[in-house]
Amino acid sequence: MKSNNENEFMKEMQDRYIRFDWAIKRLLRQKANFDVLEGFLTVFLGEKVTIVELLESEGNQLSADDKFNRVDIKALNSKGEIIIIEIQNTRELYYLERVLYGVAKAITEHIHLGDSYARVKKVYSISILYFDIGIGQDYLYHGQNQFIGVHSKDRLLVNVKERNAIVSRLPAEIFPEYILIRVNEFDKVAVTPLEEWMKYLKDGTIQPGTKAPGLSEAREKLRYYSMSAAERHAYDEHLNAVMIQNDVLSSAKLEGLIEGREEGRKEGREEGRKEGREEGRKEGLEKGRAEGIEKSNKANALKMKSLGIPADIIRQVTGLDPNEYE
């Protein structure tokens, strides 16, 4: 007869769920599992979403390099709008620029030369971020293009008369919308559907009896032990790769800071004594810090290369140009 502890352990193992990034890669691309994805989009977009089909392009093909960073889905909803979902596990230097490029590419891919501009589709870009992208108190941010008066600071609104005469759609119906989900900033007790989804994104927890759209379906379809042994092995390797990548990036950042400070202090003191001026000390500090960081970046590049991390990611993290990297 099993003890209470054994029963609790078995229940915990049975209720272990697959991370959302892996589910998007492998499971949610199947039409039978669209309900999980539709529930997620309904909660985060604030309206009922029905997926008609998944769209393929150069931007969302699976490849050997995407196990660390981009994991995206490009879907068409019942309104004819395009929805892009990207999960970013590790820091990327030009992430916002990449988001903008992805949205622009999605728009141009679905309008052909000679087509009317009326065929331009609205795009929703949803980024699930597991790194700190900036300073802010919230875990969910939403943005869209607006026209603000340079002098009056008011927001331009297209009125009904002008709308009928000149434009067929309001700016809000045309311009892309951007949603940034800062997973690591969520620290609340999950009560609302949005909070329940945030809890799942952060630590894989799904409450029994949840009524949040998509999560009840996820409890049935995203169980870890529902996968085959081979699929579980591939999933575990994915988690290991993400952990190693995060550890390498954290170590590289810390080592660069420490070495830069030490070199900067040393150079600053020597230069300061020689010149006897504040300017010399500042230049020494800056030069020492820069040389220290450069030296550390090269050492970390070698370390990351030995771990099999792709060259483009190494260059983004260390800032080395292709010639320096080679």
Side-chain angles (χ1 to χ4, degrees):
M1 185 174 181
K2 294 182 179 179
S3 66
N4 289 335
N5 289 339
E6 289 176 323
N7 287 332
E8 290 177 3
F9 176 77
M10 292 298 293
K11 185 177 185 303
E12 182 180 342
M13 289 296 98
Q14 183 66 22
D15 287 343
R16 181 182 175 188
Y17 299 101
I18 304 165
R19 278 173 51 123
F20 197 56
D21 58 346
W22 186 261
I24 280 183
K25 267 178 173 289
R26 308 289 177 175
L27 302 176
L28 301 186
R29 295 176 179 273
Q30 302 168 13
K31 193 173 181 64
N33 296 331
F34 278 7
D35 48 4
V36 177
L37 199 56
E38 289 172 344
F40 166 80
L41 294 171
T42 294
V43 168
F44 282 89
L45 293 180
E47 60 178 293
K48 176 65 176 176
V49 175
T50 301
I51 295 176
V52 176
E53 63 174 319
L54 297 187
L55 305 171
E56 298 297 335
S57 71
E58 296 176 3
N60 64 347
Q61 296 293 323
L62 292 174
S63 69
D65 296 339
D66 66 5
K67 60 186 176 182
F68 298 119
N69 292 298
R70 185 184 64 235
V71 180
D72 60 15
I73 273 186
K74 191 164 81 168
L76 187 71
N77 68 12
S78 56
K79 296 180 180 180
E81 301 165 330
I82 298 172
I83 300 173
I84 299 173
I85 305 173
E86 293 187 289
I87 296 182
Q88 187 74 7
N89 287 309
T90 56
R91 180 179 300 279
E92 184 172 325
L93 187 59
Y94 299 110
Y95 183 73
L96 291 181
E97 289 85 348
R98 199 191 77 197
V99 168
L100 177 61
Y101 175 79
V103 169
K105 189 172 180 63
I107 294 172
T108 56
E109 281 180 340
H110 296 278
I111 184 171
H112 303 288
L113 187 64
D115 283 349
S116 166
Y117 288 121
R119 295 178 62 86
V120 170
K121 297 183 181 298
K122 176 168 179 175
V123 177
Y124 293 89
S125 173
I126 302 174
S127 297
I128 304 173
L129 307 175
Y130 286 86
F131 68 95
D132 186 9
I133 196 171
I135 300 173
Q137 299 179 359
D138 211 327
Y139 57 84
L140 183 64
Y141 285 84
H142 173 268
Q144 189 183 26
N145 302 64
Q146 295 181 353
F147 297 101
I148 306 298
V150 175
H151 304 99
S152 62
K153 307 303 179 185
D154 67 318
R155 184 161 61 95
L156 177 65
L157 301 175
V158 179
N159 65 38
V160 177
K161 181 179 179 181
E162 289 175 339
R163 182 185 180 191
N164 291 336
I166 301 175
V167 298
S168 60
R169 290 184 287 174
L170 294 170
E173 299 173 297
I174 303 172
F175 293 144
E177 294 189 31
Y178 303 89
I179 295 174
L180 303 181
I181 303 171
R182 303 170 72 207
V183 177
N184 294 337
E185 301 304 312
F186 178 76
D187 59 358
K188 295 184 176 181
V189 176
V191 177
T192 66
L194 176 61
E195 292 167 347
E196 288 189 50
W197 263 101
M198 290 298 303
K199 182 74 172 172
Y200 167 56
L201 292 177
K202 186 169 185 178
D203 58 23
T205 300
I206 304 178
Q207 298 177 6
T210 178
K211 301 298 182 181
L215 282 184
S216 57
E217 292 83 359
R219 278 183 61 85
E220 299 302 320
K221 299 178 179 181
L222 303 185
R223 293 182 186 274
Y224 175 78
Y225 283 100
S226 294
M227 295 191 295
S228 67
E231 290 172 330
R232 290 199 300 270
H233 176 73
Y235 175 69
D236 291 338
E237 287 298 306
H238 166 72
L239 294 186
N240 288 335
V242 171
M243 290 175 63
I244 290 172
Q245 174 77 348
N246 285 329
D247 184 58
V248 168
L249 294 179
S250 297
S251 298
K253 181 179 179 181
L254 181 60
E255 290 173 6
L257 287 173
I258 292 174
E259 189 164 349
R261 286 170 181 165
E262 290 177 350
E263 292 288 338
R265 291 192 189 100
K266 181 179 178 181
E267 291 280 341
R269 284 195 297 268
E270 292 176 357
E271 193 71 17
R273 292 191 190 101
K274 182 179 179 181
E275 299 293 335
R277 298 194 306 267
E278 181 65 19
E279 182 179 351
R281 189 168 67 85
K282 287 182 179 179
E283 289 180 358
L285 284 169
E286 293 172 359
K287 180 180 178 182
R289 187 179 294 112
E291 291 177 352
I293 292 174
E294 181 181 3
K295 181 179 178 182
S296 178
N297 281 339
K298 291 180 179 178
N300 288 322
L302 289 172
K303 185 186 299 182
M304 286 187 279
K305 185 175 182 181
S306 68
L307 292 172
I309 295 173
D312 59 335
I313 295 177
I314 295 175
R315 290 197 294 268
Q316 289 172 9
V317 172
T318 61
L320 298 177
D321 64 38
N323 292 331
E324 287 178 310
Y325 174 77
E326 291 301 327

